[in-house]
Amino acid sequence: ETGVTQSPTHLIKTRGQQVTLRCSSQSGHNTVSWYQQALGQGPQFIFQYYREEENGRGNFPPRFSGLQFPNYSSELNVNALELDDSALYLCASSLAFRAGIYGYTFGSGTRLTVV
Amino acid sequence: GESVGLHLPTLSVQEGDNSIINCAYSNSASDYFIWYKQESGKGPQFIIDIRSNMDKRQGQRVTVLLNKTVKHLSLQIAATQPGDSAVYFCADPGETSGSRLTFGEGTQLTVNP
């Protein structure tokens, strides 16, 4: 059984650029959630995808968007990058919607640095 | 608004001692809590959870206590080992059908040999 894998592990972008982060969910999982974790802080919920549709969103602007694919993998896209977007971006997969919180499995994250 | 917070940002203990990490929550309707461990360079790892109909739950070397009266929970780690060094978070799935976790800021546990 494979866990949650994220790519790339590290990324440096320039302010104003766009970035795409990728996540492969754990085998058997069909829900993907994305979190932003600033240095020294707890993770903050960005959004969740279930059945290829957004299912809940945190307090993040529209320039944060996502996709889920038929194989349940997911992408997080951030446009017009700002310096404050520098953070660890975590993906978590789970099985089903109602039971999702019980099956949460986090990846190791993508460290994004915006300069 | 809903929040989950930690009492202390850092905790340093000697190997073999017991560790206690505290967490306060503000939402009286919260009925389920999870403790996560996050090692450097890794994502959060599930440790133990507890429902509001319980006051205590035990796992392997870990115990979570829930006091609903004062909206406080704690994670106790017995015989702390160097491998326990990490940041510990309490998290609340909230009321939105458990689709999102609200994390506290975390406590950095350092175990000294």
Side-chain angles (χ1 to χ4, degrees), chain B:
Chain B
E2 177 184 326
S3 68
V4 178
L6 279 297
H7 287 306
L8 294 172
T10 62
L11 176 64
S12 183
V13 301
Q14 291 298 122
E15 182 178 356
D17 287 352
N18 296 332
S19 303
I20 300 176
I21 299 171
N22 297 304
C23 182
Y25 62 95
S26 60
N27 186 357
S28 299
S30 295
D31 61 0
Y32 179 61
F33 301 92
I34 308 169
W35 281 98
Y36 284 92
K37 171 186 179 183
Q38 187 174 23
E39 297 175 276
S40 181
K42 296 184 179 180
Q45 178 185 6
F46 174 93
I47 303 174
I48 191 169
D49 57 3
I50 188 167
R51 293 202 167 275
S52 60
N53 60 353
M54 304 170 70
D55 297 324
K56 178 180 181 179
R57 190 173 188 197
Q58 288 184 295
Q60 186 177 15
R61 284 201 305 117
V62 294
T63 301
V64 56
L65 300 178
L66 175 61
N67 186 330
K68 295 178 287 294
T69 302
V70 296
K71 292 186 282 188
H72 178 272
L73 64 158
S74 66
L75 176 70
Q76 302 178 0
I77 304 174
T80 313
Q81 303 168 359
D84 295 327
S85 293
V87 178
Y88 289 81
F89 294 97
C90 61
D92 175 4
E95 300 175 58
T96 55
S97 65
S99 65
R100 65 183 71 183
L101 294 169
T102 298
F103 286 83
E105 291 184 352
T107 293
Q108 172 71 60
L109 174 65
T110 301
V111 182
N112 301 307

Side-chain angles (χ1 to χ4, degrees), chain A residues 14-87:
Chain A
T14 303
R15 188 172 53 182
Q17 285 187 315
Q18 178 267 343
V19 67
T20 297
L21 310 181
R22 294 178 175 83
C23 172
S24 294
S25 60
Q26 180 172 307
S27 178
H29 284 183
N30 59 7
T31 302
V32 174
S33 304
W34 286 92
Y35 289 79
Q36 180 195 67
Q37 186 175 21
L39 196 61
Q41 304 291 321
Q44 299 289 320
F45 177 77
I46 303 175
F47 43 55
Q48 181 183 83
Y49 278 83
Y50 173 64
R51 292 183 175 177
E52 302 178 46
E53 294 189 355
E54 187 179 289
N55 177 55
R57 187 181 183 92
N59 188 26
F60 281 83
R63 60 189 184 84
F64 285 78
S65 63
L67 286 172
Q68 186 180 31
F69 301 98
N71 66 353
Y72 306 121
S73 66
S74 178
E75 288 183 353
L76 165 65
N77 300 290
V78 186
N79 293 321
L81 284 167
E82 302 177 359
L83 297 179
D84 285 348
D85 295 333
S86 296

